Amino acid sequence: MDEVGSFPPGKKIAVVFVIGGPGSGKGTQCSMIVKQFGFTHLSAGDLLREEAKSDTEQGTMIKNLMREGKLVPSELIVKLLLKAMLQSGNDKFLVDGFPRNEENRQAYESIIKIEPDFVLFIDCPKEELERRILNRNQGRDDDNIDTIRRRFEVFQESTLPVVQYYEKRRKLRRVDGAKSADAVFKDVKAIFTQLNTQNEASATASPHSRPTTAAAGNPSPSSPASSCVLL
Ligand SMILES: Nc1ncnc2c1ncn2[C@@H]1O[C@H](COP(=O)(O)OP(=O)(O)OP(=O)(O)O)[C@@H](O)[C@H]1O
Ligand SMILES: Nc1ccn([C@@H]2O[C@H](COP(=O)(O)O)[C@@H](O)[C@H]2O)c(=O)n1
């Protein structure tokens, strides 16, 4: 992929990563957050599904990896994300399904370089994830029992260490994803409302006392690791 560009230096950009197991409700919650809080929703999986349609070597490579439930090289996905962020014209982004592993996280840090305000972790037990995906009926190649299990293994082996990374840095906001979608959104809404309040407070403070991006969006940390983390 050619050079994609970058944000103007000093521009305040809000980024929230949304992670959780396959079928935990990331897309569902992101749609609700967009309506209420004006973020642009960027799903890493959707960007890759779009790219996989192209009749090129890269398109075929992405399609095959996704069908097997494996992760696509990080630089590729980070550049797709940056391109979509720049094209949106917005300054508030929900990045859904990212980072999935340490390599994703490091590629984002070296290419996009915008500290996430926080990381929303939708935690849900494996049995519920399987049930939801098998009932989803969106015609996805990877929504079959073998690939679902592989995706869940990848989540446990590669994504949970990233969850723990952000938990250690007090950036993780965990919600119980096993509740109904509306009940989950009630918890999610409280987290985003707190972010808004803190950002408004820092915008009215004198520029000299204004906190950094990371500190500005720093609602109370998540509750301790849950059933899913401990599976
Ligand atoms: N809290 C919930 N309770 C019950 N069903 C839900 C809930 N949230 C989402 N669903 C349903 O579960 C399925 C998976 O949800 P969704 O697509 O939002 O998950 P996802 O985390 O984005 O999945 P993936 O990682 O596979 O893209 C959908 O059919 C959705 O309608
Ligand atoms: N950071 C990512 C995100 C996704 N993938 C690939 O896409 C598949 C589907 O992702 P969803 O978020 O839509 O469930 C996933 O299984 C991976 O193959 C990726 O490689 N990197």
Side-chain angles (χ1 to χ4, degrees):
M1 196 186 299
D2 296 333
E3 271 312 305
V4 249
S6 57
F7 286 102
K11 185 171 165 65
K12 166 76 179 93
I13 307 289
V15 172
V16 174
F17 292 150
V18 182
I19 51 185
S24 55
K26 299 180 293 296
T28 303
Q29 293 301 319
C30 284
S31 306
M32 295 161 106
I33 298 165
V34 164
K35 284 189 197 136
Q36 194 139 348
F37 295 97
F39 280 73
T40 292
H41 172 205
L42 299 174
S43 154
D46 285 351
L47 290 171
L48 289 170
R49 272 182 283 279
E50 200 48 45
E51 202 62 19
K53 287 181 191 160
S54 80
D55 197 11
T56 59
E57 211 176 297
Q58 177 169 288
T60 309
M61 184 259 292
I62 296 173
K63 202 181 316 166
N64 290 339
L65 287 170
M66 291 179 85
R67 191 179 293 135
E68 292 167 30
K70 293 182 181 161
L71 296 179
V72 168
S74 297
E75 191 174 324
L76 198 164
I77 177 63
V78 170
K79 287 187 173 168
L80 289 175
L81 282 172
L82 178 58
K83 192 171 158 203
M85 287 165 96
L86 292 169
Q87 279 175 351
S88 77
N90 201 351
D91 57 5
K92 294 163 77 172
F93 300 98
L94 287 174
V95 185
D96 162 5
F98 184 93
R100 286 288 234 275
N101 61 6
E102 262 302 296
E103 188 195 80
N104 273 190
R105 190 186 67 69
Q106 285 174 16
Y108 173 93
E109 271 187 15
S110 70
I111 297 172
I112 301 188
K113 304 186 177 96
I114 300 169
E115 177 76 14
D117 287 70
F118 61 88
V119 178
L120 179 66
F121 172 44
I122 307 182
D123 194 5
C124 193
K126 182 181 178 186
E127 296 68 30
E128 176 66 13
L129 300 180
E130 273 190 19
R131 204 171 17 249
R132 287 183 192 174
I133 296 183
L134 292 174
N135 285 326
R136 179 157 55 181
N137 281 331
Q138 284 179 355
R140 273 175 56 168
D141 270 2
D142 55 352
D143 278 358
N144 61 75
I145 191 66
D146 291 339
T147 312
I148 293 167
R149 295 208 165 136
R150 178 69 197 134
R151 284 158 68 198
F152 193 76
E153 278 167 20
V154 169
F155 170 70
Q156 285 199 296
E157 284 162 17
S158 304
T159 313
L160 285 182
V162 180
V163 169
Q164 284 154 2
Y165 172 92
Y166 287 115
E167 187 156 41
K168 270 197 202 126
R169 282 157 186 78
R170 301 174 63 80
K171 284 248 163 182
L172 199 75
R173 308 290 173 260
R174 175 192 165 274
V175 291
D176 178 2
K179 299 186 200 169
S180 72
D182 286 342
V184 178
F185 187 61
K186 220 172 144 195
D187 298 341
V188 165
K189 203 157 67 173
I191 294 169
F192 278 80
T193 302
Q194 200 175 354
L195 172 72
N196 265 357
T197 311
Q198 285 173 340
N199 281 349
E200 277 160 22
S202 69
T204 50
S206 87
H208 301 295
S209 62
R210 199 172 291 166
T212 61
T213 305
N218 205 5
S220 57
S222 64
S223 43
S226 69
S227 54
C228 193
V229 173
L230 300 174
L231 272 172

